[in-house]
Amino acid sequence: MVADKPKKRRIGRAIWITIASLIAVAAIGTPWVQSLPPFGGQLSGERLARAQANPHHRDGAFVNPLPPAPYTLSYVRDLLVGQFGGDEVREPPAPLPLVRVTPASLQSPAAGLRAFWIGHASAYVEIDGLRLLIDPVFSDHASPFAVGPKRFHPPPIALAELPRIDAVLITHDHYDHLDMRTVQHLAQHGTLFLVPLGIGAHLERWGVAPERFRELEWNQEHALGGVRIVSTPSRHYSGRRLGGGNQTLWTSWAVLGARHRFYVSGDTGYSDHFSKIGAQWGPFDLAFMKIGAYGPGAPWLDIHMSAEDAVRAAKEVGAKRVLPVHWATFNLAFHAWDEPIRRTLAAARALQLDVLTPRIGETVDADLPFASSAWWETVR
């Protein structure tokens, strides 16, 4: 036994040396990795000064008017248990039904309002002859590199097949909403980007010319082809790198045309901002409402509302019809992949809200009836 003690000490020292080496590599390597283009840029100069002058910017970061619940040790424990011990079916067990969108079908934009869901939070919208994209993500992974959450399905149309897009609306800078590869492709084809304050730093880092984007604060708007595009409040957070979060603002959008208008919730927790938006900018012919990636626990629900809160919020903004988004594309939460839509429809029946359930790529026209189907029930 005595002879074994030096050996045990050597093994112990080797373990600690290994741990210390890994920590050193991480400390040295992390700043270099986070300097790579996918992580975006950092605010400086006039952009930083503008952010600091914003009424929702305090102590070096943007804040929500209604702060989310704080993290606790028990909440972090529950997250870890949920991440590694959950038994939910978080990914579809079979391919999802898609409707292929052909380039020919998009040659002439609608004079009214029509749209199709690309997947997750991404949607294509035509309003008053304009072509818009909401939070377009065409990459395979919702991460800075080709690892991490991977798409359950391909987009219904390839990025290269899209017609010229007049404008892109970005709600915030997380990877499942702001995709560098998609941005760079669209920027090469003359698209205008409407983004929350601060995200211009990311776009500039990716080679987008300053004249090709507008950074808006809440209740500011930009007119495009007779359509008013208004940045409206939301309750969320931002960040693309470790540490120093909430450097860029987050937003929802109210898009107001001559005869139609639509609303984009973005990622958000529930608060009174919905009723205020409805009173000022509603009612809306169509609302793209985030219904998935909620919970567990108040800190998460306060920035990613539940399906039931999404239905309540849709009623408060004055949505005539709802197109549910932020589900069925990436594994980002501790619930079954189809749970959000099932809970949404149950809550909508109680409040008599018209929820549309198009297949990915299936066109919805605000002026025409739509035959919804429970297509997720066939994915078995």
Side-chain angles (χ1 to χ4, degrees):
M1 294 295 294
V2 175
D4 286 340
K5 288 184 179 180
K7 181 178 180 181
K8 290 181 179 179
R9 284 197 293 268
R10 287 196 300 272
I11 294 173
R13 283 198 299 270
I15 292 173
W16 283 111
I17 289 172
T18 300
I19 293 172
S21 299
L22 291 173
I23 293 173
V25 169
I28 296 171
T30 298
W32 175 80
V33 170
Q34 293 192 140
S35 70
L36 297 175
F39 293 93
Q42 300 192 59
L43 278 64
S44 62
E46 293 183 6
R47 180 176 290 113
L48 178 59
R50 185 180 166 193
Q52 292 171 336
N54 185 278
H56 303 294
H57 193 277
R58 297 172 201 155
D59 300 324
F62 285 100
V63 297
N64 289 293
L66 180 61
Y71 283 79
T72 63
L73 288 177
S74 62
Y75 174 65
V76 173
R77 180 201 62 210
D78 291 344
L79 285 180
L80 292 174
V81 171
Q83 178 65 43
F84 299 106
D87 59 358
E88 307 89 353
V89 181
R90 299 178 186 175
E91 299 187 3
L96 303 186
L98 267 69
V99 175
R100 166 76 174 150
V101 178
T102 64
S105 67
L106 304 180
Q107 284 186 350
S108 299
L113 172 60
R114 71 177 183 181
F116 65 82
W117 184 31
I118 297 170
H120 197 56
S122 305
Y124 170 97
V125 187
E126 295 173 348
I127 182 170
D128 289 5
L130 293 178
R131 297 186 182 97
L132 309 177
L133 288 177
I134 301 167
D135 286 351
V137 174
F138 281 78
S139 291
D140 289 336
H141 295 83
S143 66
F145 307 112
V147 294
K150 187 175 182 180
R151 302 184 71 97
F152 300 156
H153 61 84
I157 184 171
L159 183 59
E161 293 178 325
L162 287 172
R164 182 184 181 278
I165 302 299
D166 294 292
V168 164
L169 312 184
I170 298 295
T171 61
H172 62 292
D173 71 357
H174 289 156
Y175 291 100
D176 57 325
H177 294 257
L178 180 64
D179 176 32
M180 182 184 74
R181 184 178 71 87
T182 301
V183 165
Q184 290 175 328
H185 172 88
L186 294 170
Q188 293 172 358
H189 292 80
T191 295
L192 177 69
F193 295 85
L194 301 178
V195 302
L197 177 57
I199 290 183
H202 300 327
L203 302 186
E204 287 182 349
R205 179 78 169 87
W206 300 336
V208 182
E211 63 270 18
R212 299 314 311 163
F213 61 83
R214 303 289 185 273
E215 294 177 84
L216 302 183
E217 302 170 56
W218 292 349
N219 298 314
Q220 292 183 342
E221 62 181 87
H222 180 80
L224 185 65
V227 175
R228 299 168 62 196
I229 303 174
V230 186
S231 171
T232 48
S234 65
R235 189 186 183 198
H236 200 51
Y237 70 111
S238 65
R240 294 177 71 86
R241 61 183 70 209
L242 295 174
N246 294 348
Q247 298 302 295
T248 65
L249 189 59
W250 44 92
T251 195
S252 57
W253 294 102
V255 181
L256 318 175
R259 293 191 302 113
H260 298 90
R261 54 185 61 193
F262 70 87
Y263 172 71
V264 180
S265 74
D267 282 9
T268 181
Y270 181 82
S271 83
D272 64 357
H273 70 274
F274 293 111
S275 60
K276 293 177 180 177
I277 290 169
Q280 186 170 4
W281 306 112
F284 298 96
D285 299 285
L286 189 62
F288 297 87
M289 300 297 298
K290 163 243 177 295
I291 67 165
Y294 46 74
W300 198 342
L301 285 170
D302 284 348
I303 53 175
H304 275 290
M305 61 185 172
S306 68
E308 291 78 12
D309 279 341
V311 169
R312 180 165 56 140
K315 292 289 286 188
E316 291 182 0
V317 298
K320 298 176 184 177
R321 304 167 100 181
V322 171
L323 200 163
V325 298
H326 211 276
W327 71 286
T329 302
F330 295 111
N331 178 3
L332 298 174
F334 305 157
H335 55 62
W337 74 275
D338 60 346
E339 180 185 300
I341 193 63
R342 291 188 275 108
R343 287 177 55 173
T344 295
L345 291 175
R349 283 192 291 270
L351 294 182
Q352 296 183 323
L353 180 67
D354 188 7
V355 175
L356 310 180
T357 59
R359 293 167 292 172
I360 296 164
E362 188 172 10
T363 298
V364 169
D365 191 308
D367 295 323
L368 298 175
F370 183 81
S372 292
S373 66
W375 56 262
W376 53 92
E377 298 291 354
T378 68
V379 182
R380 294 290 182 263

